[in-house]
Structure formats: C-alpha cells, structure tokens
Amino acid sequence: MIEHDYSTIDQRLRRSLLFVITVSFALTPIAAPDFWWQLSRGRVAFSELAPPGPLLTTDTSFAEADWLGGLPFFLTIQFAGVSGLMLIKFIAAGLLAYWILRHFEARLNWTVFTIVVLAFVTANSAWQPTPRLFDCWFLLLTWLFTERWANTLETKKMLPVLLSLLAWANLAPLSLLGMGVVVCVPWLPGIRTETAVLRKQAGLLVLSALFAIMLTPRGWLTPYDSFIQLFPGLFYEQSLLALTVWKPTFLYGATIEVVGLSILTVGMVVYLLVASRGWIESIAFILFAIPAWTNHDCLGPCVTGICLLASQCLSTYPVSFHRLKLTRYVSPLMGRTLLAIGILVLCFKSASGTLPGQPQRLGWGITPELDITLLAQTIGPIDYIGTAHGMNIAATGMLTWIKADRKIRPVRTLRQALLQGKLYEELSLNAELSHGWEFQHPRADNSWGGWWIRLKNRNCQLLLVPNGDAQTIRALVDSRWQPMSIDASVIPFGWAGELLSSPPIVALLPVKDFLNRKQYTYSLPKPSGTPECSDWWGILTGSPYLPPAILQARTLRAMKLYTAALRVLHPLLQYYPSPAVRREFHLCQKELAYQEKLDIGLRDPSYLRSNASYDSASAADDGLIYAGPVIQELVEPRPEPDSLKRAIGYYIRGDWEAALNELTANDSESLYAKAQIQLESGNPDGAKETFRQLVQLYPDDQLANPSQNMLDSLQ
C-alpha cells in the first residue's frame, strides 16, 4: 500500500482553515465595552501629551502606567475611521495565530494547529481594539525575543526583549506577565543552554526587564498595579469581583471560552504528569493557568502563554499517538475531511452569533449596543458642569468621548477604583441605584448607604444607564432622576426640575405617550444592519440582529410603557420567537396582570393577562432578576371560552390579526382582550370604541374599572 505525501497539501489546508477561523471570529463588529473609553484616553494622550486618567476623571490623582493604551486606536480612527480599526482587529488577530503556527509548524504539524485553534477561539474576547490585544501581542514578542536571546546569550539580543517590555508597560496593563516569560522561557526544554553563563545572564536579563517595565508614569508601582489586575481575588472578595470583568472565567458557564480553556488545561496537566522532565514547565503553566481561570479579564494573554508553552514542550518532547493505531479506523484523508468539517461547523455558528460566548455575528463596524449617535444628540448640546455617573465602562466611555471639553466628567472608572482600593464604593453605589435605595439606610457591614447624599456630594448632574438594564431603569423612573432618551444605547437620566435637564425630560413625555398610546407599530430591524454597523450575516440570510430590539422592549417595560414594549415584542414573537423574546413577553404579561389586580381589587386579573402569563411561563427564567412586583404564579390557567382560548394562543405567538379574528363574542372578557390587542397592534381608535362598548354593556363587571381607566388614558 502506497502512503501519500500530504505535507504540502496539509500546509495549505492548515492555512486555509486558520484564515476561515480568523474571518468568522475576528470579522465581527467592534463590541468591547471599553472601546469609547480607550478612544477618549488616546485623544487626551495625543492632545495633552500627559497620562489621561487624572484628566478624564475627577477623583484619580495618580497616572496610570499604560497611559498610551488608547493612542494607536485613536490615531487609527482619526486617519482611517472605523474601517481602519476593523482592519487592525482582523489583521492583528490573524497574524498572531499565524505567527505561532508558523513558528512550530515544522516540528508539530497538526498538533500545533489544534493548539492554536483552541487558543484562538478561547481568547475570543481579546480580538478587539483595546489594550488586551496589545497584551497578547507583546507576550508573543517577548517570548520570541527571549527565546532568541537564550539561544545565543548575546547582549545585543537582549535589547529587543527590553524594548518589548517597555512598550508593553506603557501600552497595556498586564506587563507583569512579561516578567514570567523572561524568568521561565530561558529554562524551558529545547531552549536553555547548559552553561554556567546562562544563570548570570538570565539574572541580568530579569533585573533589566524589571527596570524596563518601571519606565512608565506610574514608576516602581507599575508591577504592583499589574499584579492587582492579574490577581484581584487576593485583594477583593469574590462577591464584588463577580459583578465586574474580573470575575472568574468558569462563572460564565459553558461558553466556547470555558470549553477551550478546559481542553487546554486538561491537556497540559496530562502532558506534565506523563511526559514532563523538569519543574520549570509546571511553574510556567501555573503562572498562566491561575489568572486565566480566576480572572476573565486576562484570559486572552494567559491563553496565548499556555499556547506557546504547550507548543514548546511538545516540540521538544513530543507525545506519540501511534499506539492508538487510529489509521486502522480512520484514513488520513478521512481524518482531514472530518477536521475541516468540524471547523467549518464551528465557524458557521460563530459567524451566525449562535455560539455560546460569541454573540456577535459576521459584520463590519460598531455594534448597535455601542452606537453613540442618539446619546450624543441628547446630551451633546447640554452644557453640564460637574460629574456624571456611568453604570458601566461603556456608558463612562461614551460620556468622555462626547464631552471632549471635560466640563462634566466621571468620578472614576471601575479599573481605577480597583487600583485605588475603592471598588466597593463604586459597586455599592451601582447597587443602591439599581435597588432604589435613595435615602440613608444601614448596610450589611454596618455602614450607611443611600444614593441621594453620595451623588449630591459628587455634584452629579447626569446618570448613564445601559439600555436594557431593567432593574436600574425601573428604580429610577419613580425617583427625581428621569430619562432624557428612550432608545439610545445608553439611557441618560437628568435631575427633574434642574435647569439644564428639564427641557429634554419634558420633550420626551409626548414621545413616551405616542409610543404607548397612539397609532404606532414597530418595524423589525433591517437585516443589513445600521449605518454604523453592516450586518453581513443578515445580508446573507435575511435575518435581522435582534438583541437591540429585545433590549429596547426591556427598557420600555422598565419605564412602565407596557403597550410600547408589547408593540416591539409582537413581530419578534411572530417571526423570531427566541427564548429571550418569550421571556420578556412573559414579564410584560406578569406585570400587567398585577396592575389589573390593583385596578380590579380582586384576586384574579383578566383572562387575557392571567392565561397569557401562565401559558408563556414555560419560557420564563426563574433566575431572571427584574424590578417590579413579585406576583404569585397561578397554579393552573383559568377556564375560558374556546374562541378566547384560541385568540390567546395566537396572541402569545404574536399573530394579533388571527387573535382579533377569533374575538367575535360580546362578553366582557372577549371585549377586554380585543381592546387590549387592538391597542397593542397600533389601533388606538378601535381600542377606544371597544373599551367604550365594554363599559356601556357591562358597567358592573370587574373589567369595567380598568377599561374606563384605559379609555381615559386614550383621550
């Protein structure tokens, strides 16, 4: 039997598959939450030639070490726009994977390809125009430069290592990982030189590297700041970190990142137990694996380090699989075919946004969740002076980008709070805003909380809440903070009665009334995307990108604009009934049922709300946290006429036309359901006539009171 030479074909196949993976995972819209914050930092660093932290915030007294982290991205967007950032995102991710593959390919072939693919999909969150991309790249460069130096021990080859670390410390926050590379790489198998000179030279390199990463505005505290960001669990409780980007990776569930990291970890542990011939490999693995598992924020660079370590170890002491005799059962051609099919399926799910941990679809631009246009139109013309509070880094970054004059600034970001030891202060303020703890109250730790005094002491003029944060929005709409926009990616809240915020607050009132009570129907998002984000997957398949619409419905529900929320949900239920859509529909029905119980004054709401709430309960998530009343679930649905039952069935599926055709009876429940569905379908005039008919025919019915209330609100 002649065995074919697949070496050339394999090389081309590996490169082709790697390119496909890079396209499906890296050619997605920019979705990093700190994207606008990094651009703001870059703008300040470019214009002021100074560390941006103290200039962009009011309570940050010291300069950050990675003060140039946003500068390359700012310069790119200035000269090449968003397309330039997308190209950098795609090329940087692809080149990093290709470089590792090429470095070890001659010795490991398909083994290194498998490792690189696992690392690439696991480090998916790092392929964004943020400093985390720099962390991955500088770890690779430091590794390669250190390896080259260790092979020759020439002093002149030490300079690239030091320059790489110097740039790393000023551009990205996790430069301490470079010290681990410098300490471990010269002693790894296949690299180290068995001479007494190596020990002296390695000691000199470590001292020089430590000095290099201290050449930042932060000085000798740079390694300390980097250590905190690598191991925040040593300084803060896990209950706090679980609310931030520094929470453990395994808390994200069975995402592609967790699955990939698990495979890499198990594989390395097995290799170290079976084939390792030294202790330095184990130490290097622990240095990368612990922060990778305990801190999701540093997952990308740590996985890059594990990938390099695994490839280096296997290239020196390879593990043979010949004993398994796989060729008896699977031919080489069949094995390559199956691998290609598996990778294509993985890429298909990634490109469609259905892969756990990869919600973004194939596209170009800035994701709608980070669209800054409507927020800029709302707060841009208002000349605020004071501070603002953003609930997350996305909101804070948008504020600093829009308000370039820095008359209104955030107090601090969560990353600054982490370094300053004030993380609890910021997160507790977020919790108090979300729970509606307006006035002073004792906390569990015997301290006093309440957002009123804290925000007044900060001279806070503006609150910025992400669109879809139902709990916080619900808590604020009943306070003095009122929304100034209803559909921006970040909802701005101003102080009612304050001179600058009152005009946009008042201007929004008729808009809310129009969406909730007037003749209005919601149109599904365009499959092609928005002007800021071209949805390539939507163009190919004709399916729109739904998360912004679901977030909009959630915001409308939180503002108690239930009819407006249901107008958004009905077309989604009819054409794209995802679990998230059905869950939001259930919450709307549940809260409307509670409102009807208050209006009626009896135990049970209308047939429409009680049975729609019960029938949609199977899609509800018991762990979903939302603001509003807690309603006791019905044990079983109430009996209703067959026509009304069929109508409610159509109503739950979003087909309001079929539901209205079934509602031909003139009993009070059928009339009430018909009027509500007419209103939600954008026909307020028909709803008024039906409500009026119900009140006239059944003035003593329990539904007459809520019908009269609805009739009054439609006048």
Side-chain angles (χ1 to χ4, degrees):
M1 179 177 178
I2 300 175
E3 196 165 317
H4 297 282
D5 182 11
Y6 288 100
S7 58
T8 303
I9 298 175
D10 281 354
Q11 189 180 62
R12 294 175 180 174
L13 180 59
R14 285 191 291 265
R15 281 155 174 72
S16 299
L17 292 177
L18 186 61
F19 178 77
V20 173
I21 291 173
T22 304
V23 168
S24 61
F25 278 86
L27 270 187
T28 56
I30 297 171
D34 58 337
F35 169 67
W36 291 109
W37 172 252
Q38 299 301 336
L39 290 183
S40 301
R41 294 177 69 227
R43 181 172 59 187
V44 171
F46 179 75
S47 61
E48 305 292 340
L49 297 178
L55 298 176
L56 288 174
T57 57
T58 62
D59 194 48
T60 303
S61 57
F62 58 84
E64 64 270 46
D66 58 323
W67 66 293
L68 296 175
L71 183 59
F73 306 120
F74 170 73
L75 294 177
T76 301
I77 202 171
Q78 287 294 105
F79 292 105
V82 176
S83 295
L85 288 174
M86 286 295 299
L87 286 174
I88 286 181
K89 177 177 181 285
F90 172 71
I91 293 173
L95 276 182
L96 186 140
Y98 174 74
W99 204 335
I100 299 176
L101 175 67
R102 185 178 179 182
H103 187 68
F104 297 100
E105 188 176 24
R107 292 169 284 177
L108 294 176
N109 297 319
W110 285 104
T111 303
V112 71
F113 175 79
T114 304
I115 295 173
V116 168
V117 169
L118 281 173
F120 190 85
V121 300
T122 303
N124 176 49
S125 58
W127 315 135
Q128 297 286 339
T130 65
R132 205 59 66 245
L133 186 61
F134 291 144
D135 281 316
C136 296
W137 258 103
F138 281 119
L139 190 142
L140 172 62
L141 293 176
T142 304
W143 184 291
L144 296 177
F145 289 148
T146 305
E147 179 182 331
R148 189 177 68 166
W149 169 85
N151 288 328
T152 62
L153 296 180
E154 296 180 9
T155 305
K156 64 180 182 180
K157 292 187 178 180
M158 188 186 298
L159 184 61
V161 179
L162 301 180
L163 291 177
S164 175
L165 290 170
L166 175 62
W168 189 350
N170 286 273
L171 285 167
L174 303 181
S175 58
L176 194 62
L177 284 174
M179 292 300 303
V181 171
V182 168
V183 170
C184 296
V185 166
W187 305 98
L188 289 177
I191 295 179
R192 64 188 181 192
T193 306
E194 298 294 343
T195 63
V197 181
L198 177 61
R199 186 171 301 174
K200 298 179 182 179
Q201 294 287 350
L204 177 62
L205 177 63
V206 170
L207 292 177
S208 302
L210 186 61
F211 177 75
I213 67 172
M214 292 182 184
L215 295 179
T216 69
R218 188 68 168 143
W220 62 276
L221 290 174
T222 301
Y224 175 73
D225 290 351
S226 185
F227 184 80
I228 293 177
Q229 295 177 76
L230 278 171
F231 303 99
L234 299 177
F235 302 88
Y236 294 95
E237 295 181 1
Q238 288 298 329
S239 58
L240 281 181
L241 297 177
L243 304 174
T244 68
V245 296
W246 301 287
K247 68 180 179 180
T249 302
F250 54 81
L251 292 182
Y252 283 80
T255 64
I256 185 62
E257 297 173 332
V258 174
V259 172
L261 182 59
S262 300
I263 296 174
L264 287 171
T265 302
V266 172
M268 274 300 298
V269 169
V270 171
Y271 174 84
L272 292 173
L273 292 175
V274 173
S276 177
R277 303 185 184 182
W279 51 268
I280 192 66
E281 305 99 300
S282 301
I283 293 178
F285 173 68
I286 291 173
L287 289 177
F288 290 125
I290 290 179
W293 277 109
T294 59
N295 180 5
H296 183 265
D297 186 53
C298 64
L299 177 63
C302 289
V303 166
T304 303
I306 294 175
C307 174
L308 289 167
L309 177 64
S311 301
Q312 180 61 41
C313 292
L314 286 170
S315 64
T316 306
Y317 301 119
V319 177
S320 176
F321 297 97
H322 292 300
R323 293 182 180 179
L324 299 178
K325 298 181 180 180
L326 296 177
T327 54
R328 287 186 177 183
Y329 311 101
V330 180
S331 66
L333 179 59
M334 179 61 70
R336 289 159 175 78
T337 303
L338 292 176
L339 177 63
I341 292 174
I343 288 179
L344 290 177
V345 171
L346 180 69
C347 293
F348 176 85
K349 292 185 68 65
S350 174
S352 62
T354 57
L355 192 67
Q358 167 65 336
Q360 294 299 318
R361 313 199 305 183
L362 197 66
W364 190 274
I366 302 175
T367 184
E369 289 91 330
L370 293 179
D371 186 6
I372 204 171
T373 306
L374 296 178
L375 180 63
Q377 293 174 359
T378 303
I379 68 173
I382 305 176
D383 192 22
Y384 283 114
I385 298 176
T387 70
H389 180 74
M391 295 293 291
N392 59 16
I393 189 60
T396 302
M398 291 182 187
L399 170 74
T400 54
W401 182 256
I402 294 170
K403 293 296 186 179
D405 56 7
R406 302 196 292 274
K407 292 182 179 179
I408 182 170
R409 297 180 290 171
V411 174
R412 66 179 72 88
T413 65
L414 285 184
R415 192 172 297 275
Q416 291 170 338
L418 181 82
L419 299 177
Q420 297 174 18
K422 298 181 179 180
L423 188 60
Y424 176 76
E425 182 178 341
E426 292 301 309
L427 292 177
S428 63
L429 178 57
N430 287 351
E432 289 162 1
L433 288 167
S434 297
H435 290 89
W437 293 339
E438 183 172 353
F439 301 107
Q440 278 195 331
H441 70 280
R443 298 195 189 103
D445 61 353
N446 295 324
S447 63
W448 288 91
W451 58 254
W452 181 294
I453 294 179
R454 298 177 68 180
L455 292 181
K456 285 301 179 182
N457 290 338
R458 293 183 173 195
N459 189 26
C460 184
Q461 304 293 314
L462 187 65
L463 287 180
L464 298 169
V465 182
N467 194 348
D469 186 354
Q471 185 174 7
T472 304
I473 294 173
R474 173 63 62 82
L476 291 177
V477 294
D478 294 326
S479 71
R480 287 283 299 274
W481 293 103
Q482 291 298 304
M484 298 186 290
S485 175
I486 208 169
D487 54 353
S489 57
V490 170
I491 306 298
F493 281 79
W495 192 255
E498 194 269 332
L499 182 62
L500 296 177
S501 298
S502 293
I505 291 174
V506 174
L508 189 65
L509 296 178
V511 176
K512 293 193 288 187
D513 184 65
F514 173 80
L515 295 176
N516 206 45
R517 290 290 181 258
K518 304 302 180 183
Q519 188 171 356
Y520 163 75
T521 55
Y522 177 78
S523 299
L524 287 171
K526 294 181 180 179
S528 59
T530 65
E532 293 76 21
C533 179
S534 178
D535 188 353
W536 292 355
W537 186 259
I539 294 173
L540 290 173
T541 62
S543 61
Y545 181 62
L546 299 181
I550 298 174
L551 292 177
Q552 185 63 72
R554 193 174 300 160
T555 295
L556 292 171
R557 174 178 62 85
M559 293 182 179
K560 301 182 181 179
L561 304 176
Y562 299 110
T563 301
L566 290 170
R567 287 175 173 178
V568 174
L569 291 172
H570 277 310
L572 299 181
L573 284 169
Q574 188 170 6
Y575 299 105
Y576 306 100
S578 66
V581 173
R582 293 195 297 267
R583 185 162 57 245
E584 192 59 36
F585 176 79
H586 168 74
L587 292 178
C588 283
Q589 298 300 324
K590 196 174 182 181
E591 294 188 19
L592 281 169
Y594 181 81
Q595 189 61 46
E596 286 182 357
K597 290 170 66 175
L598 295 180
D599 292 340
I600 296 173
L602 299 176
R603 177 178 179 272
D604 296 324
S606 65
Y607 280 117
L608 175 68
R609 300 305 178 198
S610 62
N611 288 32
S613 175
Y614 181 88
D615 292 343
S616 61
S618 59
D621 185 356
D622 293 336
L624 183 66
I625 300 176
Y626 68 98
V630 178
I631 310 166
Q632 183 179 2
E633 293 283 359
L634 296 174
V635 176
E636 59 183 14
R638 296 166 58 196
E640 75 267 40
D642 290 340
S643 61
L644 182 57
K645 183 177 182 179
R646 290 193 299 271
I648 293 176
Y650 287 122
Y651 172 70
I652 292 174
R653 294 191 292 272
D655 191 354
W656 54 266
E657 292 182 348
L660 290 175
N661 291 334
E662 291 288 343
L663 294 172
T664 56
N666 282 333
D667 61 282
S668 61
E669 290 286 353
S670 296
L671 288 174
Y672 185 80
K674 181 179 180 180
Q676 290 287 0
I677 297 174
Q678 284 176 325
L679 180 60
E680 293 169 16
S681 63
N683 182 14
D685 294 334
K688 283 193 292 186
E689 292 300 322
T690 307
F691 278 128
R692 188 176 292 113
Q693 181 183 3
L694 190 156
V695 173
Q696 292 173 352
L697 292 177
Y698 306 98
D700 297 327
D701 191 89
Q702 68 172 8
L703 295 176
N705 187 39
S707 298
Q708 185 61 53
N709 293 340
M710 292 296 297
L711 193 59
D712 294 340
S713 68
L714 291 172
Q715 299 299 330

